[in-house]
Protein backbone atom coordinates (compact mmCIF):
# COMPACT_ATOMS: atom_id res chain seq x y z
CA UNK A 1 0.00 0.00 0.00
CA UNK A 2 2.82 2.39 0.91
CA UNK A 3 4.80 1.62 -2.23
CA UNK A 4 3.35 4.66 -3.89
CA UNK A 5 5.42 6.82 -1.60
CA UNK A 6 8.11 7.84 -3.93
CA UNK A 7 11.64 8.27 -2.72
CA UNK A 8 11.54 11.47 -4.66
CA UNK A 9 9.88 12.98 -1.59
CA UNK A 10 12.97 12.72 0.56
CA UNK A 11 16.75 12.38 0.40
CA UNK A 12 18.84 10.35 2.74
CA UNK A 13 22.57 10.74 3.26
CA UNK A 14 25.15 9.93 5.90
CA UNK A 15 27.99 12.24 6.82
CA UNK A 16 30.52 11.25 9.50
CA UNK A 17 28.11 8.97 11.42
CA UNK A 18 25.29 11.51 11.24
CA UNK A 19 22.23 10.68 9.13
CA UNK A 20 20.65 13.53 7.20
CA UNK A 21 17.00 13.17 6.23
CA UNK A 22 15.89 15.93 3.87
CA UNK A 23 12.25 16.40 2.95
CA UNK A 24 12.23 16.82 -0.79
CA UNK A 25 8.95 17.93 -2.27
CA UNK A 26 9.94 21.46 -3.18
CA UNK A 27 9.14 24.26 -2.88
CA UNK A 28 7.04 23.75 0.30
CA UNK A 29 8.04 20.12 0.96
CA UNK A 30 4.45 19.07 1.52
CA UNK A 31 3.79 15.62 3.00
CA UNK A 32 1.92 13.61 0.36
CA UNK A 33 0.91 11.23 3.16
CA UNK A 34 1.28 11.44 6.97
CA UNK A 35 3.94 8.71 6.83
CA UNK A 36 6.19 10.92 4.73
CA UNK A 37 8.96 8.32 4.78
CA UNK A 38 8.14 4.62 5.17
CA UNK A 39 8.97 3.73 8.78
CA UNK A 40 10.65 0.45 7.81
CA UNK A 41 12.89 2.24 5.39
CA UNK A 42 13.97 4.79 8.01
CA UNK A 43 14.58 1.98 10.53
CA UNK A 44 16.69 0.31 7.92
CA UNK A 45 18.72 3.45 7.20
CA UNK A 46 19.42 4.13 10.86
CA UNK A 47 20.05 0.53 11.90
CA UNK A 48 22.47 -0.45 9.18
CA UNK A 49 24.71 2.57 9.50
CA UNK A 50 25.21 2.55 13.31
CA UNK A 51 24.50 6.25 13.34
CA UNK A 52 25.23 8.58 16.26
CA UNK A 53 22.72 11.25 15.38
CA UNK A 54 20.27 12.51 12.78
CA UNK A 55 19.41 15.85 11.22
CA UNK A 56 15.95 16.37 9.75
CA UNK A 57 15.64 19.27 7.31
CA UNK A 58 13.98 20.44 4.12
CA UNK A 59 15.48 20.79 0.67
CA UNK A 60 15.47 24.39 -0.53
CA UNK A 61 14.07 27.41 1.26
CA UNK A 62 11.56 25.71 3.53
CA UNK A 63 11.37 22.97 6.13
CA UNK A 64 7.84 21.78 5.36
CA UNK A 65 4.35 23.21 5.04
CA UNK A 66 2.91 19.95 6.38
CA UNK A 67 0.18 17.83 4.89
CA UNK A 68 -1.16 18.67 1.48
CA UNK A 69 -4.84 19.51 1.83
CA UNK A 70 -5.86 17.92 -1.48
CA UNK A 71 -4.42 14.55 -0.55
CA UNK A 72 -5.85 14.83 2.96
CA UNK A 73 -9.35 15.46 1.59
CA UNK A 74 -8.89 12.54 -0.74
CA UNK A 75 -7.96 10.29 2.19
CA UNK A 76 -10.83 11.64 4.29
CA UNK A 77 -13.35 10.19 1.86
CA UNK A 78 -12.87 6.89 3.66
CA UNK A 79 -12.65 7.39 7.44
CA UNK A 80 -10.82 4.09 7.96
CA UNK A 81 -8.16 4.88 5.38
CA UNK A 82 -7.54 8.25 6.98
CA UNK A 83 -7.31 6.74 10.44
CA UNK A 84 -4.82 4.13 9.27
CA UNK A 85 -2.70 6.69 7.46
CA UNK A 86 -2.70 9.08 10.41
CA UNK A 87 -1.81 6.17 12.69
CA UNK A 88 1.21 5.43 10.51
CA UNK A 89 2.22 9.07 10.67
CA UNK A 90 1.95 8.95 14.48
CA UNK A 91 4.05 5.79 14.60
CA UNK A 92 6.72 7.43 12.49
CA UNK A 93 6.92 10.50 14.74
CA UNK A 94 6.94 8.36 17.90
CA UNK A 95 9.73 6.28 16.42
CA UNK A 96 11.78 9.43 15.80
CA UNK A 97 11.05 10.79 19.28
CA UNK A 98 12.03 7.49 20.92
CA UNK A 99 15.22 6.95 18.93
CA UNK A 100 18.32 6.10 20.97
CA UNK A 101 20.32 8.77 19.16
CA UNK A 102 19.84 12.55 19.25
CA UNK A 103 17.70 14.03 16.48
CA UNK A 104 17.85 17.71 15.56
CA UNK A 105 15.33 19.45 13.32
CA UNK A 106 17.09 22.14 11.26
CA UNK A 107 14.44 24.61 10.21
CA UNK A 108 14.55 27.20 7.44
CA UNK A 109 11.53 29.11 6.19
CA UNK A 110 8.11 27.59 6.64
CA UNK A 111 7.46 24.99 9.32
CA UNK A 112 3.69 24.49 9.43
CA UNK A 113 1.22 21.87 10.56
CA UNK A 114 2.62 18.38 10.08
CA UNK A 115 6.04 19.94 9.45
CA UNK A 116 5.93 21.54 12.88
CA UNK A 117 4.70 18.28 14.39
CA UNK A 118 7.74 16.54 12.91
CA UNK A 119 10.02 19.23 14.33
CA UNK A 120 8.38 18.82 17.75
CA UNK A 121 9.02 15.07 17.67
CA UNK A 122 12.75 15.81 17.26
CA UNK A 123 14.85 16.31 20.38
CA UNK A 124 16.32 19.71 19.55
CA UNK A 125 15.11 22.41 17.16
CA UNK A 126 17.48 24.89 15.53
CA UNK A 127 16.02 27.47 13.16
CA UNK A 128 17.15 30.28 10.94
CA UNK A 129 16.12 33.88 11.66
CA UNK A 130 13.58 33.74 8.82
CA UNK A 131 11.80 30.60 10.09
CA UNK A 132 8.01 30.75 10.49
CA UNK A 133 5.84 28.44 12.56
CA UNK A 134 2.11 27.79 12.60
CA UNK A 135 -0.66 25.29 13.09
CA UNK A 136 -2.87 26.37 10.17
CA UNK A 137 -5.26 23.40 10.54
CA UNK A 138 -7.97 25.52 12.20
CA UNK A 139 -8.54 27.63 9.09
CA UNK A 140 -9.63 24.44 7.33
CA UNK A 141 -11.82 23.37 10.20
CA UNK A 142 -9.27 20.91 11.54
CA UNK A 143 -6.65 20.65 14.29
CA UNK A 144 -3.14 19.16 14.60
CA UNK A 145 -3.49 15.39 14.33
CA UNK A 146 0.02 13.99 14.68
CA UNK A 147 0.67 14.81 18.33
CA UNK A 148 1.31 18.52 17.76
CA UNK A 149 -1.08 19.63 20.48
CA UNK A 150 0.38 17.31 23.08
CA UNK A 151 4.02 17.87 22.15
CA UNK A 152 3.77 21.66 22.02
CA UNK A 153 2.20 21.60 25.49
CA UNK A 154 5.30 19.79 26.75
CA UNK A 155 7.36 22.78 25.65
CA UNK A 156 5.17 25.88 25.83
CA UNK A 157 2.71 27.41 28.22
CA UNK A 158 -0.93 26.44 27.87
CA UNK A 159 -2.23 29.91 26.86
CA UNK A 160 0.40 30.27 24.13
CA UNK A 161 -0.38 26.87 22.65
CA UNK A 162 -4.10 27.48 22.81
CA UNK A 163 -3.74 30.79 21.01
CA UNK A 164 -1.48 29.32 18.35
CA UNK A 165 -3.74 26.36 17.58
CA UNK A 166 -7.07 28.21 17.75
CA UNK A 167 -5.95 31.29 15.82
CA UNK A 168 -3.71 29.54 13.30
CA UNK A 169 -1.48 32.64 13.56
CA UNK A 170 2.07 32.54 12.25
CA UNK A 171 4.81 32.77 14.87
CA UNK A 172 8.26 34.03 13.89
CA UNK A 173 11.62 32.66 15.05
CA UNK A 174 11.97 35.08 17.99
CA UNK A 175 8.47 34.34 19.24
CA UNK A 176 9.01 30.60 18.80
CA UNK A 177 12.18 30.85 20.90
CA UNK A 178 10.28 32.79 23.54
CA UNK A 179 7.66 30.03 23.55
CA UNK A 180 10.34 27.29 23.78
CA UNK A 181 9.08 25.82 20.49
CA UNK A 182 12.62 26.18 19.18
CA UNK A 183 15.82 25.93 21.16
CA UNK A 184 18.23 28.03 19.12
CA UNK A 185 18.11 30.63 16.37
CA UNK A 186 21.09 30.86 14.07
CA UNK A 187 22.15 33.40 11.47
CA UNK A 188 24.19 30.64 9.83
CA UNK A 189 22.74 27.64 7.98
CA UNK A 190 20.72 25.68 10.54
CA UNK A 191 21.54 22.39 8.81
CA UNK A 192 25.26 22.99 9.25
CA UNK A 193 24.68 24.17 12.84
CA UNK A 194 22.67 21.04 13.62
CA UNK A 195 25.35 18.84 12.12
CA UNK A 196 28.12 20.56 14.08
CA UNK A 197 26.19 20.37 17.34
CA UNK A 198 25.56 16.65 16.83
CA UNK A 199 29.27 16.17 16.15
CA UNK A 200 30.15 18.01 19.36
CA UNK A 201 27.66 15.89 21.28
CA UNK A 202 28.74 12.53 19.92
CA UNK A 203 32.38 12.74 18.91
CA UNK A 204 34.64 10.23 20.69
CA UNK A 205 31.64 8.77 22.53
CA UNK A 206 30.86 5.08 22.28
CA UNK A 207 27.41 4.36 20.86
CA UNK A 208 26.51 2.63 24.13
CA UNK A 209 27.04 5.86 26.10
CA UNK A 210 24.80 7.77 23.68
CA UNK A 211 22.13 5.07 23.84
CA UNK A 212 22.26 5.02 27.65
CA UNK A 213 21.76 8.78 27.90
CA UNK A 214 18.84 8.70 25.47
CA UNK A 215 17.28 5.80 27.32
CA UNK A 216 17.64 7.47 30.73
CA UNK A 217 16.10 10.66 29.38
CA UNK A 218 13.20 8.80 27.87
CA UNK A 219 12.69 6.91 31.14
CA UNK A 220 12.36 10.17 33.01
CA UNK A 221 9.29 10.90 30.91
CA UNK A 222 7.77 7.42 30.70
CA UNK A 223 8.61 5.55 33.93
CA UNK A 224 7.46 6.27 37.49
CA UNK A 225 10.12 8.47 39.18
CA UNK A 226 11.65 5.74 41.41
CA UNK A 227 12.00 3.34 38.53
CA UNK A 228 13.55 6.00 36.32
CA UNK A 229 16.17 6.66 39.01
CA UNK A 230 16.88 2.94 39.45
CA UNK A 231 17.29 2.53 35.71
CA UNK A 232 19.65 5.49 35.55
CA UNK A 233 21.83 3.90 38.21
CA UNK A 234 21.71 0.54 36.45
CA UNK A 235 22.77 2.10 33.14
CA UNK A 236 25.59 3.94 34.90
CA UNK A 237 26.83 0.72 36.47
CA UNK A 238 26.95 -1.04 33.11
CA UNK A 239 29.04 1.75 31.64
CA UNK A 240 31.26 1.94 34.72
CA UNK A 241 31.95 -1.79 34.40
CA UNK A 242 33.03 -1.21 30.78
CA UNK A 243 35.32 1.65 31.81
CA UNK A 244 36.75 -0.45 34.64
CA UNK A 245 37.40 -3.34 32.26
CA UNK A 246 39.18 -1.07 29.79
CA UNK A 247 41.29 0.50 32.52
CA UNK A 248 42.13 -2.91 33.89
CA UNK A 249 43.29 -4.33 30.60
CA UNK A 250 45.02 -1.02 29.86
CA UNK A 251 47.02 -1.13 33.08
CA UNK A 252 47.77 -4.83 32.65
CA UNK A 253 49.33 -4.11 29.29
CA UNK A 254 50.94 -0.93 30.54
CA UNK A 255 53.28 -0.13 33.37
CA UNK A 256 51.54 -1.80 36.26
CA UNK B 1 25.20 16.06 67.34
CA UNK B 2 27.71 13.49 68.52
CA UNK B 3 29.25 12.22 65.32
CA UNK B 4 32.44 13.83 64.09
CA UNK B 5 32.63 14.38 60.39
CA UNK B 6 35.75 14.92 58.34
CA UNK B 7 34.49 15.43 54.81
CA UNK B 8 31.53 17.64 55.62
CA UNK B 9 30.34 19.91 58.38
CA UNK B 10 26.94 20.51 59.80
CA UNK B 11 25.62 23.29 61.99
CA UNK B 12 22.17 24.06 63.24
CA UNK B 13 21.76 27.75 63.98
CA UNK B 14 18.51 29.47 64.67
CA UNK B 15 16.61 26.43 63.31
CA UNK B 16 18.48 26.63 59.99
CA UNK B 17 20.64 23.61 59.19
CA UNK B 18 23.79 24.33 57.21
CA UNK B 19 25.46 21.39 55.49
CA UNK B 20 28.86 22.12 53.99
CA UNK B 21 30.87 19.94 51.67
CA UNK B 22 34.17 20.35 53.34
CA UNK B 23 37.21 19.08 51.48
CA UNK B 24 38.56 22.29 49.99
CA UNK B 25 39.65 23.51 47.56
CA UNK B 26 37.42 21.45 45.25
CA UNK B 27 35.29 19.62 47.85
CA UNK B 28 35.59 16.48 45.80
CA UNK B 29 32.93 13.92 46.70
CA UNK B 30 34.97 10.96 47.90
CA UNK B 31 33.66 7.56 49.03
CA UNK B 32 34.10 8.79 52.61
CA UNK B 33 32.03 11.83 51.82
CA UNK B 34 29.16 9.75 50.51
CA UNK B 35 29.18 7.56 53.65
CA UNK B 36 29.19 10.60 55.86
CA UNK B 37 26.40 12.09 53.79
CA UNK B 38 24.29 8.98 54.41
CA UNK B 39 25.12 9.25 58.12
CA UNK B 40 24.17 12.90 58.42
CA UNK B 41 20.86 12.35 56.60
CA UNK B 42 20.12 9.68 59.21
CA UNK B 43 20.85 12.10 62.01
CA UNK B 44 18.68 14.75 60.38
CA UNK B 45 15.66 12.48 60.63
CA UNK B 46 15.44 13.21 64.32
CA UNK B 47 16.12 16.95 64.09
CA UNK B 48 12.56 18.15 64.44
CA UNK B 49 13.80 21.61 65.40
CA UNK B 50 15.35 22.13 61.94
CA UNK B 51 13.11 24.41 59.86
CA UNK B 52 15.23 24.71 56.70
CA UNK B 53 18.41 23.28 55.20
CA UNK B 54 21.13 25.11 53.28
CA UNK B 55 23.75 23.13 51.33
CA UNK B 56 27.00 24.77 50.24
CA UNK B 57 30.68 24.13 49.65
CA UNK B 58 33.50 25.29 51.89
CA UNK B 59 35.69 27.95 50.30
CA UNK B 60 35.52 29.12 46.72
CA UNK B 61 33.71 26.16 45.17
CA UNK B 62 30.61 24.12 45.68
CA UNK B 63 32.19 20.86 44.51
CA UNK B 64 33.89 19.30 41.50
CA UNK B 65 31.81 16.13 41.90
CA UNK B 66 32.57 12.49 42.57
CA UNK B 67 36.12 11.19 42.68
CA UNK B 68 36.25 8.99 39.61
CA UNK B 69 39.49 7.29 40.56
CA UNK B 70 37.75 5.80 43.59
CA UNK B 71 34.52 5.03 41.84
CA UNK B 72 35.76 3.04 38.87
CA UNK B 73 37.46 0.27 40.88
CA UNK B 74 34.10 -0.39 42.54
CA UNK B 75 32.78 -1.39 39.14
CA UNK B 76 35.49 -3.94 38.44
CA UNK B 77 33.63 -7.17 38.13
CA UNK B 78 35.34 -10.44 38.97
CA UNK B 79 38.76 -8.84 39.27
CA UNK B 80 41.17 -11.73 39.76
CA UNK B 81 38.33 -13.85 41.06
CA UNK B 82 37.48 -11.73 44.08
CA UNK B 83 33.83 -12.41 44.61
CA UNK B 84 33.53 -9.52 47.05
CA UNK B 85 34.02 -7.05 44.25
CA UNK B 86 30.81 -7.96 42.56
CA UNK B 87 28.89 -5.81 40.16
CA UNK B 88 26.51 -5.02 42.98
CA UNK B 89 29.05 -3.06 44.93
CA UNK B 90 28.83 0.05 42.80
CA UNK B 91 25.10 -0.36 42.44
CA UNK B 92 24.65 -0.47 46.22
CA UNK B 93 26.92 2.50 46.58
CA UNK B 94 24.92 4.54 44.07
CA UNK B 95 21.60 3.42 45.50
CA UNK B 96 22.67 4.68 48.91
CA UNK B 97 23.75 8.01 47.41
CA UNK B 98 20.49 8.22 45.57
CA UNK B 99 18.65 7.64 48.84
CA UNK B 100 20.61 10.50 50.43
CA UNK B 101 19.67 12.80 47.55
CA UNK B 102 16.03 11.71 47.68
CA UNK B 103 16.06 12.36 51.41
CA UNK B 104 16.78 16.02 50.68
CA UNK B 105 14.21 16.17 47.91
CA UNK B 106 11.52 14.61 50.09
CA UNK B 107 12.14 16.76 53.17
CA UNK B 108 9.10 18.77 54.11
CA UNK B 109 11.23 21.76 55.11
CA UNK B 110 12.84 23.95 52.41
CA UNK B 111 16.18 22.71 51.07
CA UNK B 112 18.35 25.13 49.11
CA UNK B 113 21.75 24.76 47.48
CA UNK B 114 23.92 27.87 47.65
CA UNK B 115 26.43 27.54 44.85
CA UNK B 116 29.74 29.34 44.35
CA UNK B 117 32.44 28.38 41.87
CA UNK B 118 32.34 24.94 40.26
CA UNK B 119 29.38 22.63 40.58
CA UNK B 120 30.00 19.58 38.43
CA UNK B 121 28.74 16.03 38.02
CA UNK B 122 27.38 14.55 41.24
CA UNK B 123 27.65 17.97 42.88
CA UNK B 124 25.18 19.32 40.36
CA UNK B 125 23.07 16.24 40.98
CA UNK B 126 22.86 17.00 44.71
CA UNK B 127 21.89 20.58 43.85
CA UNK B 128 19.20 19.33 41.46
CA UNK B 129 17.63 17.36 44.30
CA UNK B 130 17.39 20.53 46.41
CA UNK B 131 14.15 22.47 46.26
CA UNK B 132 15.91 25.72 45.29
CA UNK B 133 19.25 26.72 43.80
CA UNK B 134 20.89 30.14 44.25
CA UNK B 135 24.29 30.76 42.72
CA UNK B 136 26.98 33.39 42.49
CA UNK B 137 27.72 35.12 39.20
CA UNK B 138 30.99 33.16 39.01
CA UNK B 139 29.37 29.73 39.26
CA UNK B 140 30.19 27.10 36.63
CA UNK B 141 28.00 24.08 35.99
CA UNK B 142 28.29 20.87 34.03
CA UNK B 143 27.63 17.16 33.80
CA UNK B 144 30.94 15.96 32.30
CA UNK B 145 30.31 12.22 32.82
CA UNK B 146 29.88 11.29 29.15
CA UNK B 147 33.34 12.64 28.32
CA UNK B 148 34.61 9.81 30.57
CA UNK B 149 32.25 7.40 28.80
CA UNK B 150 29.89 7.38 31.78
CA UNK B 151 26.54 9.04 32.44
CA UNK B 152 25.22 10.96 35.45
CA UNK B 153 24.12 8.06 37.62
CA UNK B 154 22.48 9.41 40.76
CA UNK B 155 19.34 10.83 39.21
CA UNK B 156 20.89 13.81 37.44
CA UNK B 157 19.52 12.88 34.03
CA UNK B 158 15.95 12.65 35.20
CA UNK B 159 16.09 15.83 37.31
CA UNK B 160 17.83 18.02 34.75
CA UNK B 161 15.42 16.86 32.06
CA UNK B 162 12.41 17.89 34.09
CA UNK B 163 13.96 21.26 34.98
CA UNK B 164 15.44 22.33 31.68
CA UNK B 165 13.61 20.26 29.06
CA UNK B 166 14.81 17.54 26.71
CA UNK B 167 16.75 19.75 24.29
CA UNK B 168 18.86 21.53 26.92
CA UNK B 169 19.37 18.40 28.99
CA UNK B 170 20.49 16.40 25.97
CA UNK B 171 23.05 18.98 24.94
CA UNK B 172 24.39 19.42 28.47
CA UNK B 173 24.75 15.68 29.07
CA UNK B 174 26.06 14.56 25.69
CA UNK B 175 28.44 17.49 25.13
CA UNK B 176 29.59 17.36 28.73
CA UNK B 177 30.75 20.96 28.51
CA UNK B 178 30.63 23.47 31.36
CA UNK B 179 28.34 26.49 31.29
CA UNK B 180 28.12 29.72 33.30
CA UNK B 181 25.50 31.00 35.76
CA UNK B 182 23.64 33.04 33.10
CA UNK B 183 23.01 29.96 30.97
CA UNK B 184 22.02 27.93 34.02
CA UNK B 185 19.44 30.60 34.87
CA UNK B 186 18.07 30.69 31.32
CA UNK B 187 17.73 26.91 31.33
CA UNK B 188 15.93 26.93 34.69
CA UNK B 189 18.77 25.02 36.36
CA UNK B 190 19.28 27.77 38.94
CA UNK B 191 16.58 30.02 40.34
CA UNK B 192 18.54 33.16 41.13
CA UNK B 193 21.98 34.66 40.58
CA UNK B 194 23.25 36.76 43.49
CA UNK B 195 26.63 38.39 44.29
CA UNK B 196 29.01 35.51 45.02
CA UNK B 197 29.99 36.74 48.49
CA UNK B 198 26.34 36.78 49.53
CA UNK B 199 25.18 33.42 48.21
CA UNK B 200 24.91 31.58 51.53
CA UNK B 201 23.57 34.60 53.35
CA UNK B 202 20.91 35.19 50.69
CA UNK B 203 19.92 31.53 50.72
CA UNK B 204 19.45 31.68 54.49
CA UNK B 205 17.48 34.91 54.25
CA UNK B 206 15.26 33.36 51.57
CA UNK B 207 14.41 30.18 53.47
CA UNK B 208 13.86 32.11 56.72
CA UNK B 209 11.13 34.11 55.05
CA UNK B 210 9.25 31.14 53.62
CA UNK B 211 5.84 30.52 55.20
CA UNK B 212 5.45 28.05 58.06
CA UNK B 213 3.10 25.92 55.95
CA UNK B 214 5.85 25.51 53.33
CA UNK B 215 5.13 23.06 50.54
CA UNK B 216 7.79 22.33 47.94
CA UNK B 217 5.13 22.05 45.22
CA UNK B 218 4.75 25.80 45.60
CA UNK B 219 8.44 26.55 45.04
CA UNK B 220 7.77 28.59 41.86
CA UNK B 221 5.31 30.79 43.71
CA UNK B 222 7.70 31.43 46.62
CA UNK B 223 10.44 32.36 44.20
CA UNK B 224 8.20 34.73 42.30
CA UNK B 225 7.20 36.46 45.54
CA UNK B 226 10.82 36.77 46.62
CA UNK B 227 11.83 38.24 43.25
CA UNK B 228 8.93 40.70 43.39
CA UNK B 229 9.99 41.83 46.86
CA UNK B 230 13.59 42.23 45.68
CA UNK B 231 12.38 44.26 42.74
CA UNK B 232 10.18 46.49 44.89
CA UNK B 233 12.84 47.10 47.52
CA UNK B 234 15.61 47.91 45.05
Amino acid sequence: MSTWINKDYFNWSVREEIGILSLNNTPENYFETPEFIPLDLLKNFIGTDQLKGMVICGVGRHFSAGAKLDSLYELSADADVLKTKMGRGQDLLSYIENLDIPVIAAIRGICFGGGLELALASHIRICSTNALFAFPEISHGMMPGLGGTWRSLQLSRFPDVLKMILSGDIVNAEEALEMNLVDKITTADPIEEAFLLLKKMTIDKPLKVIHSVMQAMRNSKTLPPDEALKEETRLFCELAADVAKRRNSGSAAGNE
Amino acid sequence: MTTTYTTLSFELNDAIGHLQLSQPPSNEMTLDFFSELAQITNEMRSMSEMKALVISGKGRHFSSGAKLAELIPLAMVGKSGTAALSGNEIENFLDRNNRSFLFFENLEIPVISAIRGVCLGSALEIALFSHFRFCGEDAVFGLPETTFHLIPGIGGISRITSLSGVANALEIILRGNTFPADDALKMNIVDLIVPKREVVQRAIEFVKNLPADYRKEKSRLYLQRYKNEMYCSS
Side-chain angles (χ1 to χ4, degrees), chain A residues 102-103 123-125 155 180 183-184 197 200-202 204-206 209-210 212-214 216-217 220-221 225-226 228-237 239-248, chain B residues 68-69 71-73 75-77 79 87 90-91 94-95 98 102 105 125 129 145-159 161-162 165-171 173-176:
Chain A
V103 178
H123 304 128
I124 300 177
R125 287 151 293 279
L155 299 168
N180 266 334
D183 304 295
K184 292 175 204 292
L197 179 56
K200 278 183 198 152
M201 286 162 70
T202 58
D204 296 332
K205 293 193 179 88
V209 172
I210 297 167
S212 301
V213 170
M214 299 303 299
M217 291 192 59
S220 73
K221 289 202 296 181
D226 327 355
L229 292 185
K230 281 217 170 68
E231 269 301 291
E232 192 175 317
T233 297
R234 190 190 61 77
L235 290 164
F236 176 94
C237 292
L239 293 173
D242 289 352
V243 172
K245 236 180 272 168
R246 268 201 303 276
R247 290 204 177 175
N248 231 4
Chain B
L68 221 55
L71 204 58
I72 295 303
M76 288 195 190
V77 184
K79 182 190 173 194
I90 190 163
E91 203 150 344
L94 292 169
D95 275 346
N98 196 222
L102 280 171
E105 190 176 71
E125 291 185 291
F129 278 80
E145 289 87 346
T146 60
T147 59
F148 310 112
H149 298 177
L150 295 170
I151 59 172
I154 324 181
I157 295 184
S158 118
R159 290 305 180 271
T161 304
S162 42
V166 170
N168 289 322
L170 193 55
E171 185 174 343
I173 297 165
L174 276 183
R175 277 184 76 175

Side-chain angles (χ1 to χ4, degrees), chain A residues 58-90:
Chain A
V59 170
R61 290 173 53 199
H62 302 296
F63 185 75
S64 167
K68 206 175 194 172
L69 277 179
D70 296 347
S71 50
L72 206 61
Y73 289 144
E74 217 168 285
L75 290 176
S76 314
D78 185 336
D80 284 341
V81 172
L82 181 65
K83 209 171 152 194
T84 311
K85 292 276 178 192
M86 290 299 280
R88 286 202 188 135
Q90 281 276 21

Side-chain angles (χ1 to χ4, degrees), chain B residues 193-225:
Chain B
I193 302 176
V194 297
K196 65 178 175 190
R197 287 182 199 290
E198 297 173 18
V199 184
V200 172
Q201 177 201 328
R202 292 286 287 275
I204 292 173
E205 173 196 291
F206 172 72
V207 290
K208 268 192 174 165
N209 285 309
L210 288 171
D213 63 346
Y214 170 83
R215 280 182 36 226
K216 73 162 188 279
E217 294 74 23
K218 289 187 175 175
S219 60
R220 298 289 109 193
L221 180 72
Y222 300 136
L223 276 166
Q224 199 51 53
R225 270 190 208 150

Side-chain angles (χ1 to χ4, degrees), chain A residues 31-248:
Chain A
F31 297 166
E32 296 289 337
T33 173
E35 189 188 20
F36 62 92
I37 174 172
L39 179 52
D40 289 340
L41 194 57
L42 184 61
K43 279 183 183 168
N44 215 345
F45 286 158
I46 291 173
T48 40
D49 284 319
Q50 293 274 302
L51 298 177
K52 287 186 171 177
M54 177 163 77
V55 178
I56 302 180
C57 56
V59 170
R61 290 173 53 199
H62 302 296
F63 185 75
S64 167
K68 206 175 194 172
L69 277 179
D70 296 347
S71 50
L72 206 61
Y73 289 144
E74 217 168 285
L75 290 176
S76 314
D78 185 336
D80 284 341
V81 172
L82 181 65
K83 209 171 152 194
T84 311
K85 292 276 178 192
M86 290 299 280
R88 286 202 188 135
Q90 281 276 21
D91 291 348
L92 177 62
L93 295 197
S94 300
Y95 169 76
I96 290 170
E97 185 173 44
N98 293 328
L99 271 173
D100 273 344
I101 52 171
V103 178
I104 305 187
I107 303 157
R108 292 187 292 221
I110 286 172
C111 178
F112 287 177
L116 179 50
E117 292 180 295
L118 169 60
L120 293 172
S122 308
H123 304 128
I124 300 177
R125 287 151 293 279
I126 300 180
C127 76
S128 59
T129 47
N130 71 353
L132 296 172
F133 303 84
F135 285 118
E137 291 86 348
I138 198 82
S139 44
H140 307 286
M142 288 182 279
M143 60 170 281
L146 292 176
T149 310
W150 189 82
R151 288 200 179 92
S152 47
L153 277 172
Q154 306 304 305
L155 299 168
S156 305
R157 294 177 334 118
F158 187 89
D160 292 338
V161 174
L162 190 64
K163 181 164 168 263
M164 198 173 169
I165 293 176
L166 279 183
S167 69
D169 285 352
I170 293 173
V171 164
N172 67 26
E174 289 283 337
E175 290 162 332
L177 185 71
E178 189 66 30
M179 284 175 68
N180 266 334
L181 280 186
V182 294
D183 304 295
K184 292 175 204 292
I185 301 178
T186 176
T187 50
D189 177 7
I191 301 173
E192 199 56 28
E193 289 289 305
F195 174 78
L196 290 175
L197 179 56
L198 282 171
K199 285 302 286 182
K200 278 183 198 152
M201 286 162 70
T202 58
I203 199 160
D204 296 332
K205 293 193 179 88
L207 206 51
K208 191 171 173 187
V209 172
I210 297 167
H211 287 173
S212 301
V213 170
M214 299 303 299
Q215 209 179 318
M217 291 192 59
R218 199 170 53 239
N219 289 343
S220 73
K221 289 202 296 181
T222 55
L223 293 184
D226 327 355
E227 278 175 49
L229 292 185
K230 281 217 170 68
E231 269 301 291
E232 192 175 317
T233 297
R234 190 190 61 77
L235 290 164
F236 176 94
C237 292
E238 265 186 35
L239 293 173
D242 289 352
V243 172
K245 236 180 272 168
R246 268 201 303 276
R247 290 204 177 175
N248 231 4

